[in-house]
PDB file of all heavy atoms in Angstrom:
ATOM      1  N   GLY A 382      63.900   7.299  52.558  1.00  0.00           N
ATOM      2  CA  GLY A 382      63.309   6.024  52.934  1.00  0.00           C
ATOM      3  C   GLY A 382      61.860   5.910  52.500  1.00  0.00           C
ATOM      4  O   GLY A 382      61.134   6.909  52.448  1.00  0.00           O
ATOM      5  N   PRO A 383      61.408   4.700  52.181  1.00  0.00           N
ATOM      6  CA  PRO A 383      60.008   4.511  51.789  1.00  0.00           C
ATOM      7  C   PRO A 383      59.076   4.778  52.963  1.00  0.00           C
ATOM      8  O   PRO A 383      59.412   4.471  54.112  1.00  0.00           O
ATOM      9  CB  PRO A 383      59.956   3.037  51.376  1.00  0.00           C
ATOM     10  CG  PRO A 383      61.079   2.389  52.126  1.00  0.00           C
ATOM     11  CD  PRO A 383      62.157   3.434  52.216  1.00  0.00           C
ATOM     12  N   PRO A 384      57.917   5.357  52.717  1.00  0.00           N
ATOM     13  CA  PRO A 384      56.984   5.639  53.809  1.00  0.00           C
ATOM     14  C   PRO A 384      56.437   4.349  54.400  1.00  0.00           C
ATOM     15  O   PRO A 384      56.178   3.374  53.683  1.00  0.00           O
ATOM     16  CB  PRO A 384      55.888   6.464  53.131  1.00  0.00           C
ATOM     17  CG  PRO A 384      55.953   6.059  51.693  1.00  0.00           C
ATOM     18  CD  PRO A 384      57.388   5.773  51.409  1.00  0.00           C
ATOM     19  N   GLY A 385      56.274   4.327  55.704  1.00  0.00           N
ATOM     20  CA  GLY A 385      55.725   3.161  56.369  1.00  0.00           C
ATOM     21  C   GLY A 385      54.222   3.259  56.509  1.00  0.00           C
ATOM     22  O   GLY A 385      53.611   4.268  56.135  1.00  0.00           O
ATOM     23  N   PRO A 386      53.591   2.209  57.044  1.00  0.00           N
ATOM     24  CA  PRO A 386      52.134   2.229  57.189  1.00  0.00           C
ATOM     25  C   PRO A 386      51.664   3.290  58.181  1.00  0.00           C
ATOM     26  O   PRO A 386      50.539   3.765  58.111  1.00  0.00           O
ATOM     27  CB  PRO A 386      51.814   0.818  57.700  1.00  0.00           C
ATOM     28  CG  PRO A 386      53.095   0.317  58.299  1.00  0.00           C
ATOM     29  CD  PRO A 386      54.184   0.949  57.499  1.00  0.00           C
ATOM     30  N   ARG A 387      52.531   3.651  59.115  1.00  0.00           N
ATOM     31  CA  ARG A 387      52.196   4.703  60.076  1.00  0.00           C
ATOM     32  C   ARG A 387      53.474   5.404  60.529  1.00  0.00           C
ATOM     33  O   ARG A 387      54.578   4.876  60.360  1.00  0.00           O
ATOM     34  CB  ARG A 387      51.465   4.120  61.288  1.00  0.00           C
ATOM     35  CG  ARG A 387      52.275   3.101  62.060  1.00  0.00           C
ATOM     36  CD  ARG A 387      51.461   2.559  63.247  1.00  0.00           C
ATOM     37  NE  ARG A 387      52.234   1.611  64.026  1.00  0.00           N
ATOM     38  CZ  ARG A 387      52.349   0.325  63.748  1.00  0.00           C
ATOM     39  NH1 ARG A 387      51.716  -0.173  62.694  1.00  0.00           N
ATOM     40  NH2 ARG A 387      53.075  -0.483  64.506  1.00  0.00           N
ATOM     41  N   GLU A 388      53.305   6.567  61.102  1.00  0.00           N
ATOM     42  CA  GLU A 388      54.453   7.339  61.581  1.00  0.00           C
ATOM     43  C   GLU A 388      55.089   6.617  62.766  1.00  0.00           C
ATOM     44  O   GLU A 388      54.420   6.283  63.746  1.00  0.00           O
ATOM     45  CB  GLU A 388      53.983   8.731  62.023  1.00  0.00           C
ATOM     46  CG  GLU A 388      55.108   9.701  62.288  1.00  0.00           C
ATOM     47  CD  GLU A 388      55.816  10.162  61.030  1.00  0.00           C
ATOM     48  OE1 GLU A 388      55.229  10.023  59.942  1.00  0.00           O
ATOM     49  OE2 GLU A 388      56.949  10.660  61.151  1.00  0.00           O
ATOM     50  N   PRO A 389      56.409   6.327  62.698  1.00  0.00           N
ATOM     51  CA  PRO A 389      57.044   5.603  63.800  1.00  0.00           C
ATOM     52  C   PRO A 389      57.164   6.462  65.053  1.00  0.00           C
ATOM     53  O   PRO A 389      57.263   7.690  64.977  1.00  0.00           O
ATOM     54  CB  PRO A 389      58.425   5.253  63.239  1.00  0.00           C
ATOM     55  CG  PRO A 389      58.698   6.311  62.221  1.00  0.00           C
ATOM     56  CD  PRO A 389      57.356   6.629  61.615  1.00  0.00           C
ATOM     57  N   THR A 390      57.153   5.811  66.198  1.00  0.00           N
ATOM     58  CA  THR A 390      57.367   6.503  67.464  1.00  0.00           C
ATOM     59  C   THR A 390      58.861   6.638  67.704  1.00  0.00           C
ATOM     60  O   THR A 390      59.603   5.645  67.636  1.00  0.00           O
ATOM     61  CB  THR A 390      56.732   5.722  68.631  1.00  0.00           C
ATOM     62  OG1 THR A 390      55.317   5.620  68.397  1.00  0.00           O
ATOM     63  CG2 THR A 390      56.979   6.428  69.953  1.00  0.00           C
ATOM     64  N   VAL A 391      59.317   7.849  67.945  1.00  0.00           N
ATOM     65  CA  VAL A 391      60.737   8.108  68.159  1.00  0.00           C
ATOM     66  C   VAL A 391      60.991   8.287  69.653  1.00  0.00           C
ATOM     67  O   VAL A 391      60.341   9.099  70.311  1.00  0.00           O
ATOM     68  CB  VAL A 391      61.196   9.363  67.390  1.00  0.00           C
ATOM     69  CG1 VAL A 391      62.656   9.685  67.714  1.00  0.00           C
ATOM     70  CG2 VAL A 391      61.008   9.160  65.891  1.00  0.00           C
ATOM     71  N   VAL A 392      61.948   7.517  70.169  1.00  0.00           N
ATOM     72  CA  VAL A 392      62.330   7.595  71.574  1.00  0.00           C
ATOM     73  C   VAL A 392      63.546   8.506  71.706  1.00  0.00           C
ATOM     74  O   VAL A 392      64.500   8.391  70.930  1.00  0.00           O
ATOM     75  CB  VAL A 392      62.662   6.202  72.133  1.00  0.00           C
ATOM     76  CG1 VAL A 392      63.115   6.291  73.589  1.00  0.00           C
ATOM     77  CG2 VAL A 392      61.463   5.274  72.001  1.00  0.00           C
ATOM     78  N   ALA A 393      63.520   9.425  72.655  1.00  0.00           N
ATOM     79  CA  ALA A 393      64.667  10.280  72.976  1.00  0.00           C
ATOM     80  C   ALA A 393      65.267   9.778  74.278  1.00  0.00           C
ATOM     81  O   ALA A 393      64.590   9.770  75.316  1.00  0.00           O
ATOM     82  CB  ALA A 393      64.232  11.737  73.104  1.00  0.00           C
ATOM     83  N   ALA A 394      66.521   9.336  74.233  1.00  0.00           N
ATOM     84  CA  ALA A 394      67.165   8.737  75.405  1.00  0.00           C
ATOM     85  C   ALA A 394      68.567   9.307  75.576  1.00  0.00           C
ATOM     86  O   ALA A 394      69.065  10.055  74.721  1.00  0.00           O
ATOM     87  CB  ALA A 394      67.221   7.220  75.246  1.00  0.00           C
ATOM     88  N   ALA A 395      69.207   8.932  76.677  1.00  0.00           N
ATOM     89  CA  ALA A 395      70.588   9.359  76.911  1.00  0.00           C
ATOM     90  C   ALA A 395      71.520   8.655  75.928  1.00  0.00           C
ATOM     91  O   ALA A 395      71.268   7.522  75.508  1.00  0.00           O
ATOM     92  CB  ALA A 395      70.994   9.019  78.347  1.00  0.00           C
ATOM     93  N   ARG A 396      72.598   9.334  75.570  1.00  0.00           N
ATOM     94  CA  ARG A 396      73.577   8.744  74.665  1.00  0.00           C
ATOM     95  C   ARG A 396      74.367   7.642  75.369  1.00  0.00           C
ATOM     96  O   ARG A 396      74.348   7.536  76.600  1.00  0.00           O
ATOM     97  CB  ARG A 396      74.497   9.842  74.118  1.00  0.00           C
ATOM     98  CG  ARG A 396      73.772  10.836  73.221  1.00  0.00           C
ATOM     99  CD  ARG A 396      74.628  12.020  72.831  1.00  0.00           C
ATOM    100  NE  ARG A 396      74.892  12.895  73.971  1.00  0.00           N
ATOM    101  CZ  ARG A 396      75.533  14.071  73.874  1.00  0.00           C
ATOM    102  NH1 ARG A 396      75.958  14.494  72.709  1.00  0.00           N
ATOM    103  NH2 ARG A 396      75.718  14.802  74.949  1.00  0.00           N
TER     104      ARG A 396
END
Side-chain angles (χ1 to χ4, degrees):
R387 61 181 182 275
E388 191 71 19
T390 299
V391 176
V392 178
R396 294 172 291 186

